[in-house]
Amino acid sequence: MKILALDSSGLVASVAVVENDNLIAEYTINHKKTHSQTLVPMLDEIRNMTELDMESIDAIAVAAGPGSFTGLRIGSATAKGLGLALKKPIVAVPTVDALAYNLYGSDKMICPLMDARRNQVYTGLYEFVREEQKATYEMKHLVAQCAVDIQEIADKINEFGREVIFLGDGVSVFAEKLADIIHVPYSFAPACCNRQRAACVAALGEVLYEKGCIQTAEEHAPDYLRLSQAERERAEAQQKA
């Protein structure tokens, strides 16, 4: 099983190739350039450096949302183009799930936070449960990925009453507020595993692929979870009219 993975759902752009549980290559950038400038050149660099035969890919995994509307469109368009050209299936990996997968095997509750503006976050709550017979961990959803006010997810965390690890670009935005509204022990993931990684998209994509969760390139579309700013403003204007 060889999976090409793309993630441009947030501030980070990331491309990876994983084959049979081995990370062959990963290229991740968290800088000021737009994903339209970086994603395809990063893919080309990986392809050249690893002498990757694109026809050997079994599936294309992509962080399918939620996240930046522009970033999601770039990632999905790239995945669709590759899927159409190569006639390969697409695995649409939920963005927040893939972010949580950074902390695979943790015994703590995991809370990814992506800044969604307007005091909201793209988030969810997760735990890893060991499957003894398979010698692996399965990621369980305590709260499925959603777009909510930061106070709402904090209330959920406090209700569970368990220690939690936060990660994602929303941590730096809401760190001070979290200190006031979280009433359980918590910590922040370190730099090595606190942002989107295409390797996690690939690893979770393989799990989904084995469950039959695949799409054709024609079927694939991003999952925005909420309306864009332009759509919200139009709806508000229509209500006032």
mmCIF file with all atom_site columns, all heavy atoms in Angstrom, residues 53-69:
data_model
loop_
_atom_site.group_PDB
_atom_site.id
_atom_site.type_symbol
_atom_site.label_atom_id
_atom_site.label_alt_id
_atom_site.label_comp_id
_atom_site.label_asym_id
_atom_site.label_entity_id
_atom_site.label_seq_id
_atom_site.pdbx_PDB_ins_code
_atom_site.Cartn_x
_atom_site.Cartn_y
_atom_site.Cartn_z
_atom_site.occupancy
_atom_site.B_iso_or_equiv
_atom_site.pdbx_formal_charge
_atom_site.auth_seq_id
_atom_site.auth_comp_id
_atom_site.auth_asym_id
_atom_site.auth_atom_id
_atom_site.pdbx_PDB_model_num
ATOM 1   N N   . ASP A 1 53 ? 7.518   6.822  -8.838  1.00 0.00 ? 53 ASP A N   1
ATOM 2   C CA  . ASP A 1 53 ? 6.676   6.527  -9.994  1.00 0.00 ? 53 ASP A CA  1
ATOM 3   C C   . ASP A 1 53 ? 5.230   6.789  -9.572  1.00 0.00 ? 53 ASP A C   1
ATOM 4   O O   . ASP A 1 53 ? 4.665   6.044  -8.766  1.00 0.00 ? 53 ASP A O   1
ATOM 5   C CB  . ASP A 1 53 ? 6.855   5.067  -10.416 1.00 0.00 ? 53 ASP A CB  1
ATOM 6   C CG  . ASP A 1 53 ? 5.935   4.683  -11.579 1.00 0.00 ? 53 ASP A CG  1
ATOM 7   O OD1 . ASP A 1 53 ? 5.240   5.566  -12.127 1.00 0.00 ? 53 ASP A OD1 1
ATOM 8   O OD2 . ASP A 1 53 ? 5.898   3.483  -11.912 1.00 0.00 ? 53 ASP A OD2 1
ATOM 9   N N   . MET A 1 54 ? 4.637   7.854  -10.081 1.00 0.00 ? 54 MET A N   1
ATOM 10  C CA  . MET A 1 54 ? 3.290   8.240  -9.654  1.00 0.00 ? 54 MET A CA  1
ATOM 11  C C   . MET A 1 54 ? 2.262   7.143  -9.940  1.00 0.00 ? 54 MET A C   1
ATOM 12  O O   . MET A 1 54 ? 1.259   7.030  -9.246  1.00 0.00 ? 54 MET A O   1
ATOM 13  C CB  . MET A 1 54 ? 2.883   9.542  -10.344 1.00 0.00 ? 54 MET A CB  1
ATOM 14  C CG  . MET A 1 54 ? 3.750   10.738 -9.978  1.00 0.00 ? 54 MET A CG  1
ATOM 15  S SD  . MET A 1 54 ? 3.621   11.223 -8.238  1.00 0.00 ? 54 MET A SD  1
ATOM 16  C CE  . MET A 1 54 ? 2.017   12.025 -8.243  1.00 0.00 ? 54 MET A CE  1
ATOM 17  N N   . GLU A 1 55 ? 2.526   6.322  -10.947 1.00 0.00 ? 55 GLU A N   1
ATOM 18  C CA  . GLU A 1 55 ? 1.599   5.235  -11.254 1.00 0.00 ? 55 GLU A CA  1
ATOM 19  C C   . GLU A 1 55 ? 1.591   4.169  -10.163 1.00 0.00 ? 55 GLU A C   1
ATOM 20  O O   . GLU A 1 55 ? 0.659   3.372  -10.069 1.00 0.00 ? 55 GLU A O   1
ATOM 21  C CB  . GLU A 1 55 ? 1.971   4.589  -12.597 1.00 0.00 ? 55 GLU A CB  1
ATOM 22  C CG  . GLU A 1 55 ? 1.793   5.493  -13.806 1.00 0.00 ? 55 GLU A CG  1
ATOM 23  C CD  . GLU A 1 55 ? 0.329   5.788  -14.122 1.00 0.00 ? 55 GLU A CD  1
ATOM 24  O OE1 . GLU A 1 55 ? -0.540  5.053  -13.609 1.00 0.00 ? 55 GLU A OE1 1
ATOM 25  O OE2 . GLU A 1 55 ? 0.078   6.753  -14.862 1.00 0.00 ? 55 GLU A OE2 1
ATOM 26  N N   . SER A 1 56 ? 2.628   4.148  -9.315  1.00 0.00 ? 56 SER A N   1
ATOM 27  C CA  . SER A 1 56 ? 2.715   3.134  -8.266  1.00 0.00 ? 56 SER A CA  1
ATOM 28  C C   . SER A 1 56 ? 1.877   3.486  -7.041  1.00 0.00 ? 56 SER A C   1
ATOM 29  O O   . SER A 1 56 ? 1.731   2.663  -6.131  1.00 0.00 ? 56 SER A O   1
ATOM 30  C CB  . SER A 1 56 ? 4.175   2.943  -7.843  1.00 0.00 ? 56 SER A CB  1
ATOM 31  O OG  . SER A 1 56 ? 4.664   4.091  -7.159  1.00 0.00 ? 56 SER A OG  1
ATOM 32  N N   . ILE A 1 57 ? 1.336   4.693  -7.010  1.00 0.00 ? 57 ILE A N   1
ATOM 33  C CA  . ILE A 1 57 ? 0.509   5.119  -5.876  1.00 0.00 ? 57 ILE A CA  1
ATOM 34  C C   . ILE A 1 57 ? -0.817  4.365  -5.896  1.00 0.00 ? 57 ILE A C   1
ATOM 35  O O   . ILE A 1 57 ? -1.451  4.205  -6.937  1.00 0.00 ? 57 ILE A O   1
ATOM 36  C CB  . ILE A 1 57 ? 0.264   6.634  -5.935  1.00 0.00 ? 57 ILE A CB  1
ATOM 37  C CG1 . ILE A 1 57 ? 1.568   7.399  -5.719  1.00 0.00 ? 57 ILE A CG1 1
ATOM 38  C CG2 . ILE A 1 57 ? -0.777  7.069  -4.905  1.00 0.00 ? 57 ILE A CG2 1
ATOM 39  C CD1 . ILE A 1 57 ? 1.470   8.862  -6.047  1.00 0.00 ? 57 ILE A CD1 1
ATOM 40  N N   . ASP A 1 58 ? -1.256  3.901  -4.728  1.00 0.00 ? 58 ASP A N   1
ATOM 41  C CA  . ASP A 1 58 ? -2.539  3.195  -4.624  1.00 0.00 ? 58 ASP A CA  1
ATOM 42  C C   . ASP A 1 58 ? -3.698  4.148  -4.358  1.00 0.00 ? 58 ASP A C   1
ATOM 43  O O   . ASP A 1 58 ? -4.825  3.891  -4.778  1.00 0.00 ? 58 ASP A O   1
ATOM 44  C CB  . ASP A 1 58 ? -2.481  2.151  -3.504  1.00 0.00 ? 58 ASP A CB  1
ATOM 45  C CG  . ASP A 1 58 ? -1.514  1.026  -3.829  1.00 0.00 ? 58 ASP A CG  1
ATOM 46  O OD1 . ASP A 1 58 ? -1.785  0.266  -4.770  1.00 0.00 ? 58 ASP A OD1 1
ATOM 47  O OD2 . ASP A 1 58 ? -0.480  0.925  -3.142  1.00 0.00 ? 58 ASP A OD2 1
ATOM 48  N N   . ALA A 1 59 ? -3.429  5.231  -3.634  1.00 0.00 ? 59 ALA A N   1
ATOM 49  C CA  . ALA A 1 59 ? -4.499  6.181  -3.301  1.00 0.00 ? 59 ALA A CA  1
ATOM 50  C C   . ALA A 1 59 ? -3.894  7.529  -2.937  1.00 0.00 ? 59 ALA A C   1
ATOM 51  O O   . ALA A 1 59 ? -2.709  7.625  -2.571  1.00 0.00 ? 59 ALA A O   1
ATOM 52  C CB  . ALA A 1 59 ? -5.336  5.661  -2.141  1.00 0.00 ? 59 ALA A CB  1
ATOM 53  N N   . ILE A 1 60 ? -4.720  8.555  -3.041  1.00 0.00 ? 60 ILE A N   1
ATOM 54  C CA  . ILE A 1 60 ? -4.330  9.916  -2.673  1.00 0.00 ? 60 ILE A CA  1
ATOM 55  C C   . ILE A 1 60 ? -5.168  10.339 -1.476  1.00 0.00 ? 60 ILE A C   1
ATOM 56  O O   . ILE A 1 60 ? -6.399  10.411 -1.569  1.00 0.00 ? 60 ILE A O   1
ATOM 57  C CB  . ILE A 1 60 ? -4.560  10.890 -3.838  1.00 0.00 ? 60 ILE A CB  1
ATOM 58  C CG1 . ILE A 1 60 ? -3.751  10.443 -5.064  1.00 0.00 ? 60 ILE A CG1 1
ATOM 59  C CG2 . ILE A 1 60 ? -4.184  12.312 -3.433  1.00 0.00 ? 60 ILE A CG2 1
ATOM 60  C CD1 . ILE A 1 60 ? -4.284  10.984 -6.364  1.00 0.00 ? 60 ILE A CD1 1
ATOM 61  N N   . ALA A 1 61 ? -4.507  10.568 -0.361  1.00 0.00 ? 61 ALA A N   1
ATOM 62  C CA  . ALA A 1 61 ? -5.201  11.021 0.846   1.00 0.00 ? 61 ALA A CA  1
ATOM 63  C C   . ALA A 1 61 ? -5.054  12.535 0.950   1.00 0.00 ? 61 ALA A C   1
ATOM 64  O O   . ALA A 1 61 ? -3.971  13.075 0.736   1.00 0.00 ? 61 ALA A O   1
ATOM 65  C CB  . ALA A 1 61 ? -4.623  10.351 2.090   1.00 0.00 ? 61 ALA A CB  1
ATOM 66  N N   . VAL A 1 62 ? -6.141  13.202 1.275   1.00 0.00 ? 62 VAL A N   1
ATOM 67  C CA  . VAL A 1 62 ? -6.105  14.660 1.373   1.00 0.00 ? 62 VAL A CA  1
ATOM 68  C C   . VAL A 1 62 ? -6.878  15.116 2.598   1.00 0.00 ? 62 VAL A C   1
ATOM 69  O O   . VAL A 1 62 ? -7.923  14.541 2.931   1.00 0.00 ? 62 VAL A O   1
ATOM 70  C CB  . VAL A 1 62 ? -6.687  15.324 0.096   1.00 0.00 ? 62 VAL A CB  1
ATOM 71  C CG1 . VAL A 1 62 ? -8.132  14.928 -0.132  1.00 0.00 ? 62 VAL A CG1 1
ATOM 72  C CG2 . VAL A 1 62 ? -6.537  16.837 0.131   1.00 0.00 ? 62 VAL A CG2 1
ATOM 73  N N   . ALA A 1 63 ? -6.324  16.105 3.299   1.00 0.00 ? 63 ALA A N   1
ATOM 74  C CA  . ALA A 1 63 ? -7.046  16.721 4.414   1.00 0.00 ? 63 ALA A CA  1
ATOM 75  C C   . ALA A 1 63 ? -8.231  17.472 3.829   1.00 0.00 ? 63 ALA A C   1
ATOM 76  O O   . ALA A 1 63 ? -8.072  18.491 3.166   1.00 0.00 ? 63 ALA A O   1
ATOM 77  C CB  . ALA A 1 63 ? -6.129  17.662 5.185   1.00 0.00 ? 63 ALA A CB  1
ATOM 78  N N   . ALA A 1 64 ? -9.427  16.946 4.072   1.00 0.00 ? 64 ALA A N   1
ATOM 79  C CA  . ALA A 1 64 ? -10.609 17.376 3.327   1.00 0.00 ? 64 ALA A CA  1
ATOM 80  C C   . ALA A 1 64 ? -11.446 18.434 4.035   1.00 0.00 ? 64 ALA A C   1
ATOM 81  O O   . ALA A 1 64 ? -12.469 18.861 3.515   1.00 0.00 ? 64 ALA A O   1
ATOM 82  C CB  . ALA A 1 64 ? -11.493 16.165 3.020   1.00 0.00 ? 64 ALA A CB  1
ATOM 83  N N   . GLY A 1 65 ? -11.022 18.868 5.190   1.00 0.00 ? 65 GLY A N   1
ATOM 84  C CA  . GLY A 1 65 ? -11.764 19.892 5.896   1.00 0.00 ? 65 GLY A CA  1
ATOM 85  C C   . GLY A 1 65 ? -12.197 19.391 7.268   1.00 0.00 ? 65 GLY A C   1
ATOM 86  O O   . GLY A 1 65 ? -12.159 18.196 7.540   1.00 0.00 ? 65 GLY A O   1
ATOM 87  N N   . PRO A 1 66 ? -12.480 20.374 8.127   1.00 0.00 ? 66 PRO A N   1
ATOM 88  C CA  . PRO A 1 66 ? -12.558 21.807 7.885   1.00 0.00 ? 66 PRO A CA  1
ATOM 89  C C   . PRO A 1 66 ? -11.178 22.457 7.829   1.00 0.00 ? 66 PRO A C   1
ATOM 90  O O   . PRO A 1 66 ? -10.163 21.782 7.985   1.00 0.00 ? 66 PRO A O   1
ATOM 91  C CB  . PRO A 1 66 ? -13.349 22.300 9.094   1.00 0.00 ? 66 PRO A CB  1
ATOM 92  C CG  . PRO A 1 66 ? -12.902 21.370 10.196  1.00 0.00 ? 66 PRO A CG  1
ATOM 93  C CD  . PRO A 1 66 ? -12.781 20.033 9.538   1.00 0.00 ? 66 PRO A CD  1
ATOM 94  N N   . GLY A 1 67 ? -11.199 23.777 7.639   1.00 0.00 ? 67 GLY A N   1
ATOM 95  C CA  . GLY A 1 67 ? -9.968  24.540 7.602   1.00 0.00 ? 67 GLY A CA  1
ATOM 96  C C   . GLY A 1 67 ? -10.132 25.787 6.776   1.00 0.00 ? 67 GLY A C   1
ATOM 97  O O   . GLY A 1 67 ? -11.252 26.242 6.516   1.00 0.00 ? 67 GLY A O   1
ATOM 98  N N   . SER A 1 68 ? -9.011  26.340 6.353   1.00 0.00 ? 68 SER A N   1
ATOM 99  C CA  . SER A 1 68 ? -9.011  27.512 5.492   1.00 0.00 ? 68 SER A CA  1
ATOM 100 C C   . SER A 1 68 ? -9.745  27.205 4.190   1.00 0.00 ? 68 SER A C   1
ATOM 101 O O   . SER A 1 68 ? -9.446  26.204 3.529   1.00 0.00 ? 68 SER A O   1
ATOM 102 C CB  . SER A 1 68 ? -7.565  27.915 5.192   1.00 0.00 ? 68 SER A CB  1
ATOM 103 O OG  . SER A 1 68 ? -7.471  28.674 4.012   1.00 0.00 ? 68 SER A OG  1
ATOM 104 N N   . PHE A 1 69 ? -10.695 28.036 3.820   1.00 0.00 ? 69 PHE A N   1
ATOM 105 C CA  . PHE A 1 69 ? -11.472 27.785 2.601   1.00 0.00 ? 69 PHE A CA  1
ATOM 106 C C   . PHE A 1 69 ? -10.562 27.743 1.379   1.00 0.00 ? 69 PHE A C   1
ATOM 107 O O   . PHE A 1 69 ? -10.675 26.848 0.539   1.00 0.00 ? 69 PHE A O   1
ATOM 108 C CB  . PHE A 1 69 ? -12.551 28.862 2.436   1.00 0.00 ? 69 PHE A CB  1
ATOM 109 C CG  . PHE A 1 69 ? -13.729 28.673 3.345   1.00 0.00 ? 69 PHE A CG  1
ATOM 110 C CD1 . PHE A 1 69 ? -13.640 28.960 4.700   1.00 0.00 ? 69 PHE A CD1 1
ATOM 111 C CD2 . PHE A 1 69 ? -14.933 28.193 2.856   1.00 0.00 ? 69 PHE A CD2 1
ATOM 112 C CE1 . PHE A 1 69 ? -14.727 28.774 5.544   1.00 0.00 ? 69 PHE A CE1 1
ATOM 113 C CE2 . PHE A 1 69 ? -16.014 28.011 3.684   1.00 0.00 ? 69 PHE A CE2 1
ATOM 114 C CZ  . PHE A 1 69 ? -15.925 28.302 5.038   1.00 0.00 ? 69 PHE A CZ  1
#
